[in-house]
Amino acid sequence: MNFKEEQKKRIQKVEEILECYLPKEQGYQKTVMEAMNYSVRAGGKRLRPILMLETYRLFGGEGNEIEPFMAAMEMIHTYSLVHDDLPAMDNDSYRRGKKTTHIVYGHAMGILAGDALLNYAFQITGAAYHMLKEREVTGEIFLRQMEQILQAQGILAEKAGIYGMLGGQVVDVEATEKQSKLTEEQLQFIYRLKTGALIEGAMMIGAVMAGASKEEVAIVEQIAGKVGVAFQIQDDILDLISTAEVLGKPILSDEKNHKVTYVSLKGMVYSKEQVEQLSKEAIYLLEDLEEKQNRNNPFLRELLLWLIDREK
Amino acid sequence: MNFKEEQKKRIQKVEEILECYLPKEQGYQKTVMEAMNYSVRAGGKRLRPILMLETYRLFGGEGNEIEPFMAAMEMIHTYSLVHDDLPAMDNDSYRRGKKTTHIVYGHAMGILAGDALLNYAFQITGAAYHMLKEREVTGEIFLRQMEQILQAQGILAEKAGIYGMLGGQVVDVEATEKQSKLTEEQLQFIYRLKTGALIEGAMMIGAVMAGASKEEVAIVEQIAGKVGVAFQIQDDILDLISTAEVLGKPILSDEKNHKVTYVSLKGMVYSKEQVEQLSKEAIYLLEDLEEKQNRNNPFLRELLLWLIDREK
């Protein structure tokens, strides 16, 4: 398997799905739709929807009811970036080489476009229900699939909210504002929530929508949690050892912003060991899961390894 | 019926329900929960949840699955106020005599608390599903009630988002920023969305959760739409003819903020006529509905009239 090729294909597929779910730019309120679409189209690795789709496939999922959830997850990720970039938060004017949303559309519209993306994410998950209705699914299957949708919506809200990503942002913002010293426990809390929670949510929704059991979903959550934290520690490492050319963004930004990172707290050697350890544990759990249900997804395995070992 | 007494009872009931659904203030991310709860507890008429409950009762609803939706609706209303008050938007330091959320908790936390309330609103609607599971409802009834929940969630998202309240805010913000002259059509669009949409959503969810038919829900939407616009025009009128003592907020604020209002656009006489007309139409539709299903809700009727004719 040519991983890079396969990854590219997935990114393209996600972007096609996103286009289907983005709002039409029309009506008196057109500007907010433009701002939403500008933000979502700004690019990125599309990690969360890809992870969702690949986990869905791992559990034998074949339908397209997963697609509104893939789009919703990416919109939630995007809203969090739009609000993070606001002057009252990180005050960033550029992201991925493009002007941030509030720079292009103004500060008020930046707030509203973020709100709109979060709200729209929940709105489009309803499409999964309408797909069932249109296909005239009935009886037990209809019942089971409606429950899957309700459960997936619940996971989305939980992992995006105060017990998930947003909770991590809050602790991060407060620590940065107060320039407070963090303990390893607090830093892991931030990583687990701010970065890990949406990755957990993405993979869990993939599993739930494919009909995975409660136990399987719990293991998927564990895998994703480990991947999320390792991903973030690797980010800290790359900010120190990579070059701006490879990363596509300025390096040493954590140091400049006086940000506590895993590396500044625990040192480079320990941080690299942590990434290695978490990565091993995640792959071990995944292989065990694959074995038990006699089904595997080599691309997902490669993707998890890449996420953790990536050089950018 | 002593309307004021009855209204007071409902406000109390809503506040009890809200308390059940507000997040516990705990964990590293405690501050955001405090900010959420501060915002929701700041008071207000609790109109939207009361309208939801009374419409639910009008259609014979008796369960408590409506409660998470009542709390969710008030949280969405609250988040919109928290973000509206931000410096980049209306820049208000006080609301209902209390400091606004970003003044107490800081600008970044104001953004995050608003986001958190919107997200949490969708999260708690899931409680309606868990109530069904706990009561071990099964078969056809379970199926029908799950569909009601999914439909109610869809209405909530639609009426709060870019095709609802948020869409209205966008047009309002742009018109204010550009100091542009609005047409009556544009102003009605803003009122219908910014104020009307959540009132529509509230009453429609009440109807849907009580098992009302599609046709009935459509009429409820019409009633609520008329009430919403009349309510907002009455707001414009009161800003000119009331006193700060009665209103509990500064009068002539629209003039000071150079805001186009229905009165400034169409004159006082025409505005009062509009309120009268919309009010009559709404009550006529409600009475028709009550007659057809041989059930009525006198408090709801009084509430709609009060909303429109109120002096504060």
Side-chain angles (χ1 to χ4, degrees):
Chain A
M1 175 177 56
N2 184 329
F3 173 70
K4 283 279 148 201
E5 281 287 310
E6 291 293 318
Q7 187 182 26
K8 227 168 146 181
K9 266 194 231 163
R10 261 83 172 180
I11 291 177
Q12 213 170 343
K13 185 178 166 71
V14 169
E15 295 192 337
E16 281 164 25
I17 293 171
L18 279 169
E19 284 303 319
C20 296
Y21 284 97
L22 288 177
K24 287 220 178 68
E25 297 172 2
Q26 60 188 18
Y28 289 130
Q29 69 274 56
K30 201 176 146 185
T31 315
V32 75
M33 291 134 173
E34 288 170 4
M36 290 162 79
N37 295 350
Y38 173 82
S39 318
V40 173
R41 286 181 182 140
K45 303 193 253 308
R46 311 300 188 189
L47 266 184
R48 291 150 197 83
I50 293 177
L51 283 169
M52 190 186 291
L53 181 61
E54 294 305 323
T55 311
Y56 184 66
R57 287 173 171 169
L58 171 66
F59 286 97
E62 287 175 342
N64 54 358
E65 309 92 70
I66 194 68
E67 294 179 3
F69 284 99
M70 290 167 64
M73 185 55 87
E74 190 67 7
M75 286 183 194
I76 288 185
H77 173 57
T78 306
Y79 116 80
S80 79
L81 301 181
V82 172
H83 279 189
D84 254 356
D85 290 335
L86 287 170
M89 308 271 283
D90 288 352
N91 196 19
D92 282 319
S93 304
Y94 286 88
R95 179 178 287 276
R96 300 186 192 118
K98 285 178 187 144
K99 282 183 182 163
T100 47
T101 308
H102 70 276
I103 295 293
V104 179
Y105 293 92
H107 193 160
M109 205 54 73
I111 296 172
L112 289 168
D115 294 346
L117 282 168
L118 174 59
N119 192 112
Y120 204 61
F122 288 108
Q123 192 169 346
I124 60 173
T125 62
Y129 164 62
H130 293 291
M131 285 173 183
L132 294 188
K133 294 290 274 185
E134 267 168 35
R135 265 194 275 127
E136 299 182 10
V137 181
T138 52
E140 268 305 306
I141 303 180
F142 184 46
L143 194 82
R144 207 185 54 226
Q145 295 195 340
M146 277 210 296
E147 287 207 69
Q148 288 169 2
I149 293 171
L150 280 162
Q151 282 163 13
Q153 286 177 332
I155 292 168
L156 187 66
E158 192 194 318
K159 294 299 179 182
I162 49 176
Y163 306 110
M165 177 187 67
L166 204 146
Q169 281 178 301
V170 168
V171 184
D172 196 19
V173 162
E174 282 198 307
T176 309
E177 270 174 2
K178 292 181 191 159
Q179 296 276 322
S180 61
K181 288 218 166 42
L182 293 170
T183 63
E184 185 180 358
E185 196 194 326
Q186 287 170 317
L187 198 64
Q188 282 193 345
F189 179 90
I190 295 175
Y191 286 11
R192 192 163 56 76
L193 267 63
K194 194 176 169 175
T195 314
L198 284 195
I199 292 179
E200 286 168 14
M203 294 184 69
M204 287 166 78
I205 289 172
V208 163
M209 291 295 287
S213 71
K214 235 182 189 174
E215 294 69 33
E216 288 166 332
V217 175
I219 294 171
V220 165
E221 184 175 20
Q222 274 187 53
I223 296 172
K226 289 176 194 295
V227 171
V229 173
F231 178 78
Q232 188 55 51
I233 299 177
Q234 183 69 7
D235 231 40
D236 295 348
I237 295 172
L238 290 176
D239 190 60
L240 281 167
I241 64 169
S242 190
T243 65
E245 286 70 36
V246 173
L247 274 188
K249 63 180 179 185
I251 57 159
L252 304 178
S253 68
D254 295 330
E255 220 170 271
K256 255 175 251 145
N257 297 329
H258 305 286
K259 259 197 119 98
V260 178
T261 72
Y262 219 84
V263 183
S264 74
L265 198 69
K266 305 294 293 182
M268 182 60 86
V269 175
Y270 184 84
S271 298
K272 284 186 169 173
E273 277 169 13
Q274 275 290 309
V275 172
E276 183 107 345
Q277 180 64 24
L278 288 164
S279 156
K280 261 191 201 153
E281 289 170 9
I283 295 298
Y284 173 79
L285 286 170
L286 178 68
E287 284 173 351
D288 195 44
L289 203 61
E290 290 184 329
E291 205 169 296
K292 270 182 190 145
Q293 58 159 352
N294 210 5
R295 206 188 254 123
N296 68 357
N297 184 338
F299 176 76
L300 179 60
R301 192 181 186 280
E302 288 296 312
L303 180 63
L304 295 188
L305 285 173
W306 173 80
L307 274 185
I308 293 168
D309 294 335
R310 81 213 134 87
E311 279 163 15
K312 63 174 186 170
Chain B
M1 175 177 54
N2 183 329
F3 173 70
K4 283 280 150 201
E5 282 286 309
E6 291 293 318
Q7 187 182 25
K8 226 167 145 183
K9 268 193 231 162
R10 263 80 170 182
I11 292 178
Q12 213 170 345
K13 188 180 164 68
V14 169
E15 296 193 335
E16 281 165 23
I17 293 171
L18 279 169
E19 285 301 319
C20 296
Y21 284 97
L22 288 176
K24 285 220 179 68
E25 299 171 1
Q26 61 188 17
Y28 289 132
Q29 70 273 57
K30 202 176 146 184
T31 315
V32 77
M33 291 134 173
E34 289 171 3
M36 292 163 78
N37 295 351
Y38 173 83
S39 319
V40 173
R41 288 182 181 137
K45 304 195 250 312
R46 312 299 189 189
L47 268 182
R48 293 151 195 83
I50 293 177
L51 283 169
M52 189 185 291
L53 181 61
E54 294 305 322
T55 311
Y56 184 65
R57 286 173 171 168
L58 173 66
F59 287 97
E62 287 175 341
N64 54 359
E65 310 90 68
I66 194 66
E67 294 180 2
F69 284 99
M70 291 167 63
M73 185 56 88
E74 189 67 8
M75 285 183 195
I76 288 185
H77 172 57
T78 306
Y79 116 79
S80 79
L81 302 181
V82 172
H83 279 188
D84 254 355
D85 290 336
L86 287 170
M89 308 273 282
D90 289 351
N91 196 18
D92 282 319
S93 304
Y94 285 88
R95 180 178 286 276
R96 303 187 190 117
K98 284 177 188 146
K99 283 185 181 160
T100 47
T101 309
H102 69 276
I103 294 292
V104 179
Y105 292 94
H107 193 162
M109 204 55 72
I111 297 171
L112 289 169
D115 295 346
L117 281 167
L118 174 58
N119 192 111
Y120 204 61
F122 289 109
Q123 191 169 346
I124 60 173
T125 63
Y129 164 63
H130 293 292
M131 285 174 183
L132 294 188
K133 294 290 274 186
E134 267 169 35
R135 265 195 275 124
E136 298 182 11
V137 181
T138 52
E140 269 304 308
I141 303 179
F142 184 46
L143 194 81
R144 208 185 54 229
Q145 296 196 339
M146 277 210 296
E147 287 207 70
Q148 289 168 1
I149 293 171
L150 280 161
Q151 282 163 14
Q153 287 176 333
I155 293 169
L156 187 67
E158 192 194 319
K159 294 298 179 181
I162 49 176
Y163 306 110
M165 178 186 68
L166 203 145
Q169 283 178 300
V170 167
V171 184
D172 195 20
V173 162
E174 282 198 307
T176 309
E177 271 174 3
K178 291 181 192 158
Q179 295 278 321
S180 61
K181 288 219 167 37
L182 293 170
T183 63
E184 186 180 0
E185 196 195 327
Q186 287 170 316
L187 198 61
Q188 281 193 346
F189 178 90
I190 294 175
Y191 286 10
R192 195 164 54 76
L193 267 62
K194 194 177 168 175
T195 314
L198 284 196
I199 292 179
E200 287 168 13
M203 294 185 68
M204 288 167 77
I205 289 172
V208 163
M209 290 295 287
S213 71
K214 236 184 188 170
E215 294 71 30
E216 289 167 330
V217 176
I219 295 171
V220 165
E221 184 174 22
Q222 274 188 53
I223 297 172
K226 289 176 194 294
V227 171
V229 173
F231 177 79
Q232 188 56 49
I233 300 178
Q234 183 69 4
D235 230 42
D236 296 348
I237 295 173
L238 290 177
D239 190 60
L240 281 167
I241 65 169
S242 190
T243 64
E245 286 72 35
V246 173
L247 274 187
K249 63 181 178 183
I251 57 160
L252 304 177
S253 68
D254 294 330
E255 220 171 271
K256 255 174 252 146
N257 297 331
H258 307 283
K259 258 197 120 97
V260 178
T261 73
Y262 219 84
V263 184
S264 73
L265 197 71
K266 304 294 291 182
M268 181 63 84
V269 175
Y270 183 84
S271 298
K272 283 185 171 174
E273 278 169 13
Q274 275 289 310
V275 172
E276 185 106 344
Q277 181 62 26
L278 288 165
S279 155
K280 262 189 201 153
E281 290 170 10
I283 295 296
Y284 172 79
L285 285 171
L286 178 67
E287 284 171 349
D288 196 44
L289 201 62
E290 290 184 328
E291 207 169 295
K292 269 183 192 145
Q293 59 157 353
N294 207 7
R295 207 190 252 126
N296 69 357
N297 183 340
F299 176 76
L300 179 59
R301 193 181 186 280
E302 289 295 312
L303 180 63
L304 295 188
L305 286 172
W306 172 80
L307 274 185
I308 293 168
D309 294 336
R310 81 213 133 89
E311 280 162 13
K312 63 171 185 172

